[in-house]
Amino acid sequence: MQKVESGLFVSVDYTGTLDSGEVFDSSEGRQPLEVQMGAGSVIPGFETALMGMSLNETKTVTLAPEEAYGHRDENRMHDFPKSEIPEGMTPEVGQTLMLSTPQGQQIPAKVDSIDDQKVVFDLNHPLAGQNLTFALTVVGISETASQQHAGCSNAQCGSCDCGGEGCG
């Protein structure tokens, strides 16, 4: 029986939950997530959990922050003068906005606070500092990609290089 190993393409159905039981991401209702093992396109603990699994095997794993999106880092809180906020944009506390890096990469930033002079953005990943539990089922193992990736869509998770296709 073929097992998941580095270099293979693995299709996985998954549901990710927080300690509270809240579902933060799931493949339910869409195509399974396809992961090229060893490519680093998903959080480290997700890939480690898949390693050695067999086709149709199911398991549940809980990842500590070190295995997922890391711990919250207060150095990732950034002040921006209100004068730098584009005209017509009215940020609100709690709102997530997309900021552009000098290289043109889009990154999500949550508005933490606003005063007369500045807006403070939290650039930590939304799931930083949290334990993540994944229910995993391997539904495909192949030597070649079975899905055509047109791009990633789930900006919240940020799990793949281009912004995240799933939280895996």
Side-chain angles (χ1 to χ4, degrees):
M1 178 178 293
Q2 189 175 26
K3 294 209 178 268
V4 175
E5 59 185 65
S6 190
L8 294 178
F9 290 86
V10 178
S11 294
V12 59
D13 279 327
Y14 69 94
T15 298
T17 56
L18 304 175
D19 286 343
S20 66
E22 175 188 350
V23 174
F24 64 85
D25 194 20
S26 177
S27 63
E28 188 175 327
R30 60 182 198 221
Q31 252 186 333
L33 175 66
E34 185 173 78
V35 178
Q36 182 178 9
M37 298 300 291
S41 62
V42 294
I43 56 177
F46 192 91
E47 189 168 310
T48 299
L50 290 172
M51 200 64 77
M53 288 182 71
S54 302
L55 186 62
N56 298 319
E57 183 178 347
T58 297
K59 75 175 174 183
T60 300
V61 297
T62 298
L63 307 180
E66 300 82 13
E67 304 168 289
Y69 294 100
H71 290 281
R72 288 191 48 75
D73 180 355
E74 292 308 311
N75 292 324
R76 295 191 50 87
M77 303 293 287
H78 291 281
D79 299 358
F80 289 90
K82 272 189 144 178
S83 61
E84 291 185 19
I85 303 297
E87 198 170 316
M89 181 181 281
T90 314
E92 297 177 22
V93 173
Q95 181 180 27
T96 299
L97 302 172
M98 296 304 287
L99 302 180
S100 295
T101 66
Q103 297 78 25
Q105 180 184 7
Q106 295 282 303
I107 55 170
K110 186 175 182 179
V111 179
D112 184 71
S113 63
I114 302 171
D115 66 24
D116 291 339
Q117 303 298 315
K118 67 184 181 304
V119 177
V120 179
F121 287 99
D122 181 352
L123 301 181
N124 283 286
H125 189 282
L127 297 174
Q130 300 200 51
N131 294 319
L132 307 180
T133 299
F134 289 97
L136 306 169
T137 303
V138 173
V139 296
I141 302 174
S142 176
E143 292 184 10
T144 58
S146 63
Q147 297 176 16
Q148 185 172 10
H149 297 281
C152 298
S153 59
N154 189 343
Q156 177 192 1
C157 289
S159 59
C160 70
D161 295 334
C162 56
E165 183 173 330
C167 277

